Amino acid sequence: MKAIAAGIGVVFLSPLLLAGTGMMLAVSANAVQNSVSVNNCLTDIDADDVAQQVAKILDGASGKNAHIEGLDLPAEQVPNAQTIVATGRSLDVPRKGQVIALATAMQESRLRNLNYGDRDSLGLFQQRPSQGWGTAQQIHDPVHASEQFYKALLKVNGWQQMTVTQAAQAVQKSGWPDAYATWESLATALQAAIAKTFPGADKDQSKQTDSTGCTPDKDGSGFGRIPEGSIPKGYKIPKNAAPKARKAIEWAMYQLGTLYQWGGSCTDSHGPDPMRRCDCSSLMQQAYAHADITLTRTTYTQVKDGKAVSPSQLQPGDLIFSRGTAARPEHVGMYMGEGLVIEAPRTSKPVRITPIKDWDILAARRVL
């Protein structure tokens, strides 16, 4: 760990950050956490503006005139964010893990190196000496605190398939388990802006994925367990659905229960020919074809159809993408409203409706 800290200090970190290690702040962690509303989702983040402001601060600007939505003390908070990203990079933690760490620190401390909190909680991640995160002095070192968070995250089985909130909660076990989603867009913008300042940023750029934003207000959990191939009891297509989206959803629902076929055209999913059954992208293509909307054939190309929308602003009929990366996703479904998604999931599974809480959304597109 000392070698990691030394390397980061020499290669990545600014004098301002090093001077801030162990900083004593007269702010309680409870006050910070209680000031956060999980409904105050930061979805309109201007990533380019964030990058400009971050670059100025890391170049030594005072930060007095800097404005980054969600950061009230950017001159202090941005260097702490830099430490989190730098530590993640030094440990070869994927970009998503760095975003999870930033969102966690935003919720727990607002990216401030707090000297106290709930019970014996301390530092950026409000880690507790009594719970084995290190001594109080160690936890006040942002490098140590970040390293400990990443080590715990990497031990979580399947964390890369989880949402940011699910992964953060698996590590933190917070009393506010849904609050991490509030900071996801900002964390994504910060990670991208800071990563650009490091050597090798050009290579990393090709691996970047879009912000997942926050999840919709309804996550589908209210319908309980949904038997495969069935319509959840009480579901109705929302009245505000666009007419063509309604047609597409209705047609897709008619395919419920038919078996998935990779490469299938979805032109006769109830018929005897397997190659006329649906895969994920042909279900989307044919559903919208029956609403007089032309989509391309594959998931890889449908992610470029229409226009991008924030996952927090989904409307019935929007396409959502998961698995792989935002630039090259491997799965697509259609948002139905009420926190539900219709999909052709995979071989041996039928066309079905699932709650959106089970989706790790990489991108969303509106094709109307």
Side-chain angles (χ1 to χ4, degrees):
M1 200 278 287
K2 290 182 180 178
I4 292 173
I8 294 173
V10 172
V11 177
F12 297 124
L13 303 185
S14 68
L16 176 61
L17 182 144
L18 294 174
T21 301
M23 184 180 294
M24 305 294 282
L25 299 173
V27 180
S28 82
N30 286 336
V32 170
Q33 289 180 326
N34 290 336
S35 70
V36 176
S37 167
V38 297
N39 294 320
N40 183 26
C41 185
L42 299 173
T43 57
D44 297 323
I45 300 297
D46 185 334
D48 290 336
D49 182 64
V50 170
Q52 292 177 8
Q53 300 299 325
V54 165
K56 289 178 182 178
I57 291 171
L58 296 182
D59 282 342
S62 67
K64 291 182 179 179
N65 297 321
H67 174 73
I68 300 175
E69 184 180 0
L71 301 184
D72 52 355
L73 294 172
E76 174 187 327
Q77 293 161 309
V78 168
N80 285 333
Q82 186 191 40
T83 302
I84 293 171
V85 173
T87 305
R89 288 170 62 90
S90 73
L91 297 173
D92 293 324
V93 175
R95 173 186 173 278
K96 181 174 180 178
Q98 298 169 32
V99 172
I100 293 168
L102 288 168
T104 301
M106 284 297 304
Q107 170 59 22
E108 298 293 348
S109 69
R110 300 294 287 273
L111 279 172
R112 297 173 180 176
N113 195 15
L114 301 179
N115 70 328
Y116 57 93
D118 179 42
R119 287 169 285 190
D120 58 338
S121 299
L122 299 166
L124 292 174
F125 297 92
Q126 287 293 280
Q127 295 158 335
R128 300 177 60 190
S130 63
Q131 299 299 313
W133 293 96
T135 66
Q137 183 178 6
Q138 287 174 323
I139 292 173
H140 269 128
D141 176 359
V143 173
H144 172 90
S146 300
E147 183 188 31
Q148 292 300 104
F149 177 86
Y150 285 126
K151 285 184 175 180
L153 176 65
L154 295 175
K155 291 179 181 178
V156 175
N157 186 35
W159 70 268
Q160 293 196 64
Q161 285 70 53
M162 295 179 179
T163 64
V164 168
T165 290
Q166 290 169 338
Q169 177 62 6
V171 175
Q172 298 294 106
K173 299 177 176 59
S174 169
W176 292 271
D178 299 321
Y180 301 107
T182 303
W183 307 108
E184 189 172 342
S185 289
L186 177 57
T188 301
L190 282 174
Q191 192 281 335
I194 292 168
K196 290 178 182 178
T197 68
F198 295 150
D202 291 340
K203 293 181 180 179
D204 291 343
Q205 198 65 25
S206 63
K207 301 178 183 178
Q208 296 295 324
T209 57
D210 295 334
S211 168
T212 58
C214 305
T215 55
D217 290 338
K218 296 182 179 180
D219 64 4
S221 59
F223 290 98
R225 180 182 174 276
I226 305 172
E228 288 190 335
S230 69
I231 300 173
K233 184 178 180 180
Y235 170 77
K236 294 182 179 180
I237 300 175
K239 293 180 179 180
N240 65 344
K244 290 189 175 183
R246 180 178 294 274
K247 286 185 179 181
I249 293 170
E250 288 174 346
W251 191 89
M253 289 171 64
Y254 180 68
Q255 317 313 313
L256 284 169
T258 63
L259 283 177
Y260 174 99
Q261 176 61 51
W262 186 84
S265 65
C266 202
T267 52
D268 185 13
S269 64
H270 295 273
D273 184 353
M275 293 313 296
R276 298 186 72 181
R277 297 174 188 162
C278 309
D279 64 14
C280 65
S281 55
S282 65
L283 177 63
M284 303 299 105
Q285 183 187 48
Q286 292 302 315
Y288 266 109
H290 284 77
D292 298 321
I293 298 290
T294 300
L295 299 184
T296 53
R297 174 60 183 87
T298 70
T299 304
Y300 304 137
T301 56
Q302 286 177 2
V303 75
K304 300 177 183 178
D305 288 345
K307 63 180 181 180
V309 294
S310 167
S312 66
Q313 304 295 324
L314 291 177
Q315 295 178 7
D318 288 345
L319 305 186
I320 61 173
F321 298 83
S322 68
R323 306 175 196 164
T325 68
R328 193 172 175 82
E330 298 173 359
H331 187 53
V332 61
M334 183 186 298
Y335 185 61
M336 304 171 64
E338 302 300 318
L340 298 176
V341 183
I342 190 165
E343 62 170 346
R346 61 182 182 275
T347 300
S348 80
K349 291 291 185 179
V351 175
R352 65 185 183 184
I353 294 172
T354 55
I356 201 167
K357 68 180 180 66
D358 293 342
W359 283 67
D360 183 9
I361 303 175
L362 296 172
R365 308 290 293 189
R366 185 160 299 153
V367 297
L368 296 175

